[in-house]
Each structure stands twice: as structure tokens, then as C-alpha cells.
Amino acid sequence: MAQGGAGIAKRLGTLLSGLLECGGFCGIIFGWASLVFVLKDLGYFQELCQPSANLTDLPGCSRQDEEFSLVFTIGSFMNNFMTFPTGFIFDRFGTTVARLVAISLYTGGTLLVAFSTPALAVLLFPAMSMLSVGGMLLILTNTQVGNLFGKYRSIIITLYNGAFDSSSAIFLIVKVLYERGLSLRTMFLFMAACSAWHLLRTLFLMPRSRIPYPLPPAYNYGLRCPGRSQSYRTYEEKRPPEETGPEETPLEPSAPTGAGDVPTVSFRACVCSALFAWHVVWLSVMQLRHYLFIGTLNPLLQHLARGDTRLAPTPTPSPSPSSVGCSAPRGTASSSTGTSAARPPAPRVLSRSFLYGGNAAFLAIAFPPQHFGKLYGLAMALSALVALLQYPCVTLVRGPLGGDPFYVNVGLIAVVLVAFVSPVVVARKCHRLAKDLGAAGTPLTAPPSAESPTELPH
């Protein structure tokens, strides 16, 4: 690392603090099943459990369970659907502004939960949505940390996505501490106070704009004290607007330019490319298959148990686009049962890490970095819409198919085969690009030390 650049200690500090941030705050909404036990014990939506003389009403506390399920459904759907506008904020205004928005949403969400009461249980709806969107925006800004570590950036992006899924255990910790006598308000006020740590990380361990790839010599980021401060003077901010920084050659061809001009790729060109379209198909199909596997797991086990209540699991409410994998507890469930249902299974975390980590890493490599946030958000939003297909599929399994998802799984095999088109398209693009660049005598990827002095601001 050249003199004046960010050293290995600072980069490792950014990496480790980012892992803590993703693993402790970004995806906590997916541990909702554990928090429901606390909220039920406190009497949230308890009025829905009152007996009714109308025999058509749902029995017991099913209406209370449905209200909790609705809170989670809205919050988890916002997690995917709002990624596109938050990605636009990240691309347009940079890391600092995006993180300040995320911190504000996260702090507001934790404060709403802290000051909610059974009489103000409606506050849970905006609170969970704010926690969901704020957490997604935080991990979106953290994906660029992989750029600090060269060829290992895809591994780091995947690692961050794994930490994001593991953060669902935070609400399990909240449940355990609540059973030890700690109040819900105290715990969420502490989580709100952690926003000060997020703010300090934004100032000192994150750039104002974006982290370029490959890193130019002497690249630094964040506030530097003491001495002459060059606050947020990142590589991208120092270079003239007409110059481009060093980056990988994108797989999608650039738009035609005149002699001496720097080739650029518009956001529209990226979205309309076959590369992006087939990638969205791959992401949507794999996500739907992942959701349906867990969404139809209970009916399958009940079908295989053939009515044996000792073997069949407790039925769960209708799934939501992201609720699979953390079954909403029923009013009669015991504490131990809920704890096991809320604990994130390791295979599910690994599966989601490879799926979403691969999605983020591919978009970061294959397309220009200035469009990463928008492309990532658009891909997640479109896949969220496709995930809604799980509702008719699960209804079909639990209804006409009598709990046997065999025919649905057979149909999904044909759908999953479509996902194999994406790697074929990528392989052909890479082969064609390598052939074109090889004929022109240009390497496929510019090495980190290949920048000429004229490209580097001093």
C-alpha cells in the first residue's frame, strides 16, 4: 500500500466492523418468530383473542396470530421491494447519505418498538418496515467493502450476506433476555443507542462516495485526524467528472463513443441486456424454489406422518414472501417449541448466503459500479414479485393435493432448468469478450497497479 493510503489495519477494521453490523443489525426482522413470544406475553393484539358468539369467526387466538403474521409480511416484503429506491439513493448520493438514511430508519424503528404498548400495537407495522428497509440499506453500503481486498471481494460479499441472515438470531437473544427479567423497552432503547456506533463507522471507516475497484495507489477513506483533514476525499471525488477510475472490464459492451471519449454504459442499457435479464430469471427461480421448499415442508411432513401427531409438526400460518424458514408461533405453542422454530437452521443460512451473495457479487463484477445499487435493488424487487407465486403453490399443496407437494416439485424441476440458461449466457459473454480483447491486445481485467500516473489524482 502506498504511503498515505489505508493500511491493512484500517481495512481489517472496516471488514470486521461491517461483519458485526450485518450480523447484529441488518436482518433482525427475520427473527420475528422469537419476538412474537415476547409481544404475546405483553398482551399485544390480545383483544383479538376475545371469544365471539359468531361461529364463523376463527377459533382461539388465530386472529392474533394473523395480525402478527401481517406485520411480518409487510416488513419482509418491504425488505425486497424497497431495495430499488434505496439502491438509487446509494448510487446517486453516495455511501454517507445512504447510511445516514439507513441509520435514521433503523433508529426510528427501534424507538417505535421501545415506546409501543399493547394499546399502541399498531406501531409495530411502521417499526418493522423501518427496521427492514434500514437494514437492507446498511448491507447494501457494506457490499463495497469487498473492493478493499482485491480478488477476495466475492468471498467477502458472500460472507456479509451470511452475516445478514445470521442476524435473525438477535430477536432470539431478546426473547432469552426477556425471560431473564430484562424489559423489552430497555433492550430496544439499547439497540437505538447503537446507532451512535453506526454513525462513527460511517464517519471513520466508510467512504463518502464509493470504494473503487481495483484500488488506486494511496487510496484512503473516512475522516483522518489529527492533522490536515481531507474528509471523505475519496478517489472518485478527486478525479475530474470526465475521467473514469480503474475498474474491471464489464461483461456488457459499452455504448459507442467518439475517439478519445471514455466508454460508458447507461443504466437502461444494463437493464435491457440479456445478461441482466437472465440473471434476474436465475435469482427469481432459485429464490422461489428456496421459499417453496420450506413453505411446503410442513405439509409434506404431515403427509408422510399419515396423521401421527407424534411425528407431524405443528401447522404454520400461510407463508409470506420472506416468512419461510421462521414459522410464526401459534397461541398454544410452548416456549421451547418457539425457540427451536425461531433458530435459523445452518443449511438455510448457507443456502441464502450463496444465493444472495452470488447475486451481489455477480452484479458488482459484471456491470459498472455506478449502477450497482440500482441494479441490485431492481433485481431484488423483481424477484420479490415472482416470489408471490408461492401463495397459489402452497394453497394448491394444502388444498387439492392434500398436503403432497410431489406434483408441484415435479413442475418446479422444469422451472429450475430455466435457471441454467443464465450461466450459459455468462460463459458465452466472457468467451466473446476475452476473444475480442485478446485480438486487440488488451487484458480482460486491469491489475490494481496498472493505472498510469495521469489517471491518479494527487
Side-chain angles (χ1 to χ4, degrees):
M1 180 67 64
Q3 185 177 3
I8 186 64
K10 184 174 184 178
R11 287 182 287 154
L12 285 177
T14 302
L15 171 64
L16 296 178
S17 62
L19 283 174
L20 178 61
E21 185 172 83
C22 293
F25 304 93
C26 292
I28 61 174
I29 187 175
F30 296 107
W32 172 250
S34 295
L35 186 62
V36 166
F37 282 96
V38 178
L39 298 175
K40 280 188 174 183
D41 189 68
L42 293 174
Y44 282 69
F45 301 119
Q46 186 67 36
E47 67 278 2
L48 299 178
C49 291
Q50 298 299 326
S52 175
N54 189 349
L55 298 179
T56 61
D57 284 351
L58 295 175
C61 291
S62 297
R63 292 175 59 193
Q64 182 191 32
D65 289 332
E66 287 197 346
E67 200 70 13
F68 282 122
S69 180
L70 182 60
V71 173
F72 179 79
T73 299
I74 295 175
S76 58
F77 183 77
M78 294 287 284
N79 181 269
N80 277 2
F81 194 74
M82 288 299 293
T83 310
F84 178 66
T86 55
F88 177 82
I89 293 174
F90 174 56
D91 286 343
R92 177 64 179 84
F93 301 102
T95 303
T96 299
V97 173
R99 287 182 61 84
L100 289 178
V101 172
I103 293 170
S104 300
L105 289 171
Y106 187 86
T107 306
T110 52
L111 289 177
L112 284 177
V113 177
F115 291 103
S116 66
T117 62
L120 295 174
V122 69
L123 292 179
L124 294 177
F125 287 94
M128 290 302 113
S129 295
M130 294 170 71
L131 288 175
S132 177
V133 177
M136 177 55 71
L137 190 49
L138 282 177
I139 191 175
L140 185 61
T141 61
N142 276 309
T143 54
Q144 60 182 326
V145 173
N147 294 349
L148 296 173
F149 298 90
K151 62 181 180 180
Y152 301 106
R153 66 171 178 159
S154 296
I155 298 176
I156 292 174
I157 291 175
T158 304
L159 192 63
Y160 271 26
N161 279 269
F164 174 85
D165 287 309
S166 299
S167 63
S168 59
I170 295 300
F171 280 167
L172 178 60
I173 297 176
V174 169
K175 175 183 177 294
V176 172
L177 293 179
Y178 174 80
E179 293 173 341
R180 299 296 186 273
L182 207 59
S183 70
L184 181 70
R185 175 168 297 183
T186 299
M187 288 183 283
F188 272 86
L189 285 177
F190 172 78
M191 294 170 67
C194 290
S195 296
W197 179 79
H198 297 311
L199 183 60
L200 290 176
R201 186 169 181 270
T202 301
L203 295 177
F204 293 99
L205 292 177
M206 296 296 287
R208 182 177 180 181
S209 181
R210 288 189 301 269
I211 300 176
Y213 183 84
L215 290 181
Y219 174 77
N220 209 337
Y221 55 93
L223 288 172
R224 284 179 282 173
C225 299
R228 184 177 179 181
S229 175
Q230 296 184 4
S231 305
Y232 309 119
R233 296 289 291 170
T234 64
Y235 170 73
E236 290 191 352
E237 292 172 320
K238 291 180 179 181
R239 72 167 186 251
E242 64 274 5
E243 293 184 9
T244 59
E247 59 185 40
E248 287 183 335
T249 303
L251 299 181
E252 197 58 32
S254 302
T257 55
D261 294 339
V262 177
T264 58
V265 183
S266 67
F267 172 67
R268 181 177 180 180
C270 293
V271 172
C272 296
S273 66
L275 200 65
F276 180 76
W278 282 110
H279 174 72
V280 172
V281 171
W282 171 84
L283 176 64
S284 302
V285 168
M286 298 304 296
Q287 179 176 258
L288 180 62
R289 171 67 274 190
H290 175 83
Y291 285 173
L292 279 175
F293 169 75
I294 304 179
T296 60
L297 180 60
N298 280 355
L300 175 62
L301 295 178
Q302 291 169 9
H303 176 76
L304 295 176
R306 301 185 184 279
D308 191 339
T309 57
R310 296 173 301 173
L311 300 177
T314 302
T316 58
S318 298
S320 62
S322 299
S323 65
V324 291
C326 49
S327 303
R330 301 177 61 87
T332 58
S334 64
S335 177
S336 60
T337 301
T339 302
S340 61
R343 187 177 296 117
R348 183 180 68 87
V349 172
L350 289 175
S351 175
R352 287 174 58 91
S353 299
F354 280 108
L355 177 61
Y356 298 113
N359 168 52
F362 175 79
L363 293 175
I365 294 173
F367 297 97
Q370 63 267 26
H371 301 315
F372 171 77
K374 297 186 290 292
L375 292 173
Y376 181 84
L378 183 59
M380 294 297 291
L382 293 175
S383 66
L385 294 177
V386 175
L388 293 177
L389 293 175
Q390 70 174 294
Y391 282 104
C393 292
V394 173
T395 301
L396 181 64
V397 171
R398 293 184 174 180
L401 297 180
D404 185 3
F406 174 77
Y407 294 104
V408 172
N409 289 332
V410 170
L412 283 173
I413 292 176
V415 176
V416 170
L417 290 177
V418 180
F420 284 92
V421 177
S422 179
V424 173
V425 172
V426 173
R428 293 186 62 183
K429 282 281 185 180
C430 291
H431 178 74
R432 187 183 305 115
L433 183 60
K435 183 178 180 180
D436 293 342
L437 292 179
T442 306
L444 179 61
T445 304
S449 60
E451 297 87 359
S452 62
T454 59
E455 292 179 320
L456 300 177
H458 295 285

